[in-house]
Amino acid sequence: MTKKPNKTSRRAVAKPAARKPAKAAAKRPRATKPPAMDERIARALETIAASMAAASPTAANADSLKSADAFIWHPDGRLAPVPKVSRVDIALLKGIDRMRDTLIENTERFATGLPANNALLWGARGMGKSSLVKAAHASVNADKRVAGRLKLVEIHREDIESLPALMAVVRASDFHFIVFCDDLSFDGNDASYKSLKAVLEGGIEGRPDNVILYATSNRRHLLAREMVENERSTAINPGEAVEEKVSLSDRFGLWLGFHKCSQDEYLAMVNGYCSHYGIRLDDAELQREALEWSTTRGSRSGRVAWQFTQELAGRLGVRLAGK
């Protein structure tokens, strides 16, 4: 009997197992969820507040003000002390006796707590306007009644718009302050004079009781003539347009006019300087050289007298002590 063939399993050759897909690359970190809108606004407000606090002026402390008698104001809120003020002795200011006495009296009243006026010193160049302000401060500050509590703060013409910030710094101080602006004037469309008007009179806070303003200018109304004429020609109401700007000088209660000096006053200035600094020259020769110097300069003034004194001292080998 025929044997049945041995059943060899006709199993299909096993297919190789399917390879598992390679592991996926490492997962990327999920993007950080942006902060909520409220949180972002809060952070922005905190940053703005911090910036404003850093930029805002703070009241000057007593120790910093004791460091000097004079300071220069910077619009970023700093009062920079001046170790040595460039000034001349008040006794050397000749030919301006009336203005000298008036300003000193006004300054004394202010420094001792009595009512006093803001002062505008205007007029001829080189006649000692700024020198008188600095000399008057030194003279009054040396008074026993004042005892060094009168401070001189110079503000530059281009920083006038920061004047309200300066007022905020010194308002709470126990010291008294002369805020001094040299060569004050306005040209063109300059509107910074409005800040000065508000401080002088008319602002809500007004001028602090411990502050007085002294300014010097070659112009009585602080405006150039062509500026006034231009306002008249272009304004709808010329009178009102000019009045707004001219009224600035009216807010200085004290006007002190300085005019060109005579020949005798000029020679008195020269003699005063030479005597004070020990410059010795024959009187006739001194007078001749001083007049020749003023002729070459085309003017006679305290500034010209001082410039001649420096020339003469240098030529004679005399040191000007204290300068």
Side-chain angles (χ1 to χ4, degrees):
M1 186 167 163
T2 312
K3 287 184 179 180
K4 291 184 180 178
N6 190 16
K7 282 187 179 178
T8 38
S9 86
R10 297 182 179 180
R11 296 175 187 167
V13 178
K15 294 182 179 180
R19 292 183 181 178
K20 294 181 180 180
K23 290 185 178 180
K27 294 182 179 179
R28 295 180 181 176
R30 292 181 181 179
T32 306
K33 186 178 180 181
M37 180 65 71
D38 291 346
E39 185 180 349
R40 292 191 329 199
I41 292 175
R43 289 180 183 175
L45 290 175
E46 289 175 359
T47 303
I48 294 172
S51 300
M52 292 180 67
S56 62
T58 56
N61 60 61
D63 290 337
S64 65
L65 293 173
K66 287 179 181 177
S67 64
D69 289 333
F71 299 83
I72 294 178
W73 167 253
H74 294 274
D76 61 0
R78 289 183 299 116
L79 281 171
V82 179
K84 183 179 180 182
V85 179
S86 175
R87 59 163 62 102
V88 297
D89 190 274
I90 199 162
L92 295 177
L93 300 178
K94 307 292 184 181
I96 54 172
D97 296 356
R98 183 184 64 81
M99 288 75 79
R100 178 198 62 203
D101 295 343
T102 302
L103 189 66
I104 287 182
E105 182 182 352
N106 189 72
T107 307
E108 286 176 343
R109 290 202 302 263
F110 167 70
T112 53
L114 295 174
N117 277 307
N118 301 311
L120 174 63
L121 291 70
W122 67 277
R125 302 186 309 273
M127 281 304 297
K129 299 184 292 294
S130 59
S131 295
L132 177 57
V133 171
K134 292 181 285 187
H137 164 255
S139 176
V140 173
N141 207 29
D143 192 307
K144 292 181 180 179
R145 297 172 297 170
V146 179
R149 301 195 65 78
L150 180 63
K151 305 298 181 179
L152 181 66
V153 178
E154 182 175 9
I155 181 171
H156 296 142
R157 156 68 190 84
E158 56 272 19
D159 298 331
I160 283 294
E161 287 185 339
S162 67
L163 194 54
L166 172 57
M167 297 298 101
V169 168
V170 301
R171 185 180 295 274
S173 175
D174 293 331
F175 292 98
H176 285 71
F177 299 88
I178 298 174
V179 176
F180 170 50
C181 184
D182 192 23
D183 197 20
L184 179 64
S185 61
F186 300 93
D187 295 297
N189 296 320
D190 190 349
S192 60
Y193 71 93
K194 294 182 179 179
S195 298
L196 181 57
K197 284 178 67 175
V199 170
L200 289 171
E201 290 178 26
I204 294 177
E205 288 186 308
R207 173 172 59 89
D209 293 336
N210 64 335
V211 175
I212 199 168
L213 286 99
Y214 286 174
T216 67
S217 178
N218 294 330
R219 305 166 181 168
R220 183 175 181 177
H221 292 296
L222 305 177
L223 307 175
R225 183 179 298 276
E226 58 270 19
M227 185 178 175
V228 176
E229 292 174 351
N230 182 61
E231 290 286 345
R232 286 199 178 101
S233 62
T234 59
I236 296 175
N237 189 326
E240 290 182 359
V242 174
E243 183 66 22
E244 180 187 6
K245 294 186 176 180
V246 172
S247 67
L248 173 59
S249 58
D250 290 340
R251 303 198 179 200
F252 289 91
L254 188 62
W255 285 9
L256 299 176
F258 290 68
H259 308 285
K260 293 181 179 180
C261 63
S262 66
Q263 177 173 298
D264 289 341
E265 289 172 334
Y266 168 71
L267 291 175
M269 294 173 188
V270 171
N271 286 324
Y273 282 133
C274 290
S275 175
H276 180 78
Y277 291 109
I279 302 173
R280 306 194 180 282
L281 192 67
D282 179 72
D283 290 345
E285 180 65 15
L286 178 63
Q287 178 174 322
R288 185 191 67 78
E289 290 195 22
L291 292 177
E292 181 180 351
W293 180 271
S294 67
T295 301
T296 60
R297 298 287 297 177
S299 65
R300 291 189 297 262
S301 69
R303 181 178 297 148
V304 173
W306 173 244
Q307 290 167 345
F308 168 71
T309 303
Q310 291 187 101
E311 161 67 19
L312 185 60
R315 180 152 41 93
L316 297 178
V318 177
R319 296 185 181 276
L320 301 181
K323 293 303 293 180

